[in-house]
Amino acid sequence: TRLRRRQFTQDRFGIFVHFGISSILEGWWKGECFEGLSEWIMYGRKIPLKEYQKLADQFEMSRFDAEAWVKAFAATGARYMVYVAKHHDGFAMFHSHVSDFNIVDATPFGRDPLKELSEACARHDIRLGVYYSHVIDWEHPHAWGPQMNDWDFSPEEADFDTYWREKALPQIEELCTQYGDLGVFWFDMPAGLSDAHAEEAAALVRRLQPGAVINSRIGVGNSDFDYVSTDDNYPSNLLPSRDWEMCATMNTSWGWKRGDDDWKSASNHLYTLAHTVSRNGNYLLNVGPMPDGSIPSRAIEILNDLAEYKQAIDIT
Ligand code: JFZ
């Protein structure tokens, strides 16, 4: 564990990728801009699951290019990436055999982007991490929690353990076995989860991916994790003796949102990276690809600007 942690803290800089069905909506529903984070639009607009599922038919990702993504990430000096394998909407952005609601079986794209990304990561010496929303899942009737899908399903009839055994644990296992070595298993939004459940998820990852670190958002209490995820976009003043990571957006939403034009500058990111590294933290900078699978031009410009400082990032 010590070695694993040391490796992770030496990585220092990573790229987060928020991409999924919600990206297709671009933060807009029925002609209106959703005021919240674009990846929360299903919840915010209470979009019926049946209608939301139909969006998958439009997910062609005609310009998706794993090699181009990872090449652009590696050029900045980033040493790991964290791919959103399942966000709160419950859609698996990888080939899952326990739920048809996944990118291979439910879309015209029909390929496994995570497989392609894992291969590109190996070519560019980028450690691969996966993000998995283990509690919130708006597709599953039994994913009980404070932010569950209560417009399609009834909280009274929800039995969290059914969701946990049918979907969450099996998908965590798929992610740990189908894509080679993982560097990070990134859990999110544990509100409502018992310590026993969190420990069970941690034990599964530890058994199948002994080289992966686990972030603190796996649980609400004293569950088994390797480093602290600080509040989003919040430069932490945690003690340098703790391993920690701050994740941040380039604009406001994590997922692609049309009109979300308040982009932070590249120098802002360089400053934050220096700040973070000086305090023993990692910086995880987010990219939100567009529905066709390409990276927004403004994000590409920022990545290119960061690449100009690769030598400085390399020595961090
Ligand atoms: C979560 C997600 O809900 C969000 O969509 C995104 O994926 C982000 C990376 O993580 O949002 C959070 C989770 C935790 C905090 C803030 C936003 N926090 O602890 O401050």
Side-chain angles (χ1 to χ4, degrees), residues 251-277:
N251 40 2
T252 303
S253 272
W254 299 86
W256 165 249
K257 183 174 185 178
R258 186 156 34 93
D260 183 2
D261 292 327
D262 200 4
W263 298 86
K264 297 161 204 164
S265 66
S267 53
N268 177 303
H269 297 302
L270 288 166
Y271 169 80
T272 309
L273 179 62
H275 174 104
T276 307
V277 171

Side-chain angles (χ1 to χ4, degrees), residues 158-210:
D159 171 48
F160 185 80
D161 259 303
T162 302
Y163 156 72
W164 189 248
R165 314 240 155 263
E166 270 181 8
K167 188 170 180 183
L169 288 179
Q171 288 194 330
I172 293 168
E173 178 158 354
E174 289 179 324
L175 288 167
C176 287
T177 52
Q178 294 177 182
Y179 304 97
D181 287 346
L182 299 177
V184 192
F185 209 106
W186 220 98
F187 290 97
D188 198 18
M189 300 291 278
L193 191 71
S194 76
D195 256 1
H197 285 105
E199 299 289 341
E200 197 178 5
L204 182 61
V205 174
R206 299 245 182 266
R207 178 163 62 78
L208 299 171
Q209 287 284 344

Side-chain angles (χ1 to χ4, degrees), residues 37 44 48 60 76 79 84 86 112 126-127 129 136 139 145 156-157 176 186 199 206 223 246 266 271 293 296 299 305:
L37 298 172
E60 294 186 8
T76 66
R79 290 187 281 272
V84 172
K86 189 194 85 174
D112 186 342
I126 293 285
R127 237 177 295 284
I136 303 180
E139 185 254 349
E156 291 74 36
E157 285 162 34
C176 287
W186 220 98
E199 299 289 341
R206 299 245 182 266
S223 36
M246 167 195 167
Y271 169 80
D305 286 349

Side-chain angles (χ1 to χ4, degrees), residues 16 18 37 39-40 84 87-88 131 136 147 186 188-190 217 229-234 247 249 254-255 286:
F16 215 170
H18 274 73
L37 298 172
E39 70 278 5
W40 275 80
V84 172
H87 205 260
H88 308 330
Y131 167 114
I136 303 180
Q147 285 159 312
W186 220 98
D188 198 18
M189 300 291 278
R217 288 190 197 172
S229 294
T230 68
D231 293 356
D232 301 357
N233 291 305
Y234 180 75
C247 56
T249 51
W254 299 86
N286 182 70

Side-chain angles (χ1 to χ4, degrees), residues 124-167:
H124 291 279
D125 202 17
I126 293 285
R127 237 177 295 284
L128 176 67
V130 290
Y131 167 114
Y132 188 81
S133 172
H134 57 320
V135 179
I136 303 180
D137 188 313
W138 301 320
E139 185 254 349
H140 203 287
H142 291 297
W144 183 90
Q147 285 159 312
M148 75 171 288
N149 176 349
D150 60 4
W151 56 100
D152 287 298
F153 308 119
S154 138
E156 291 74 36
E157 285 162 34
D159 171 48
F160 185 80
D161 259 303
T162 302
Y163 156 72
W164 189 248
R165 314 240 155 263
E166 270 181 8
K167 188 170 180 183

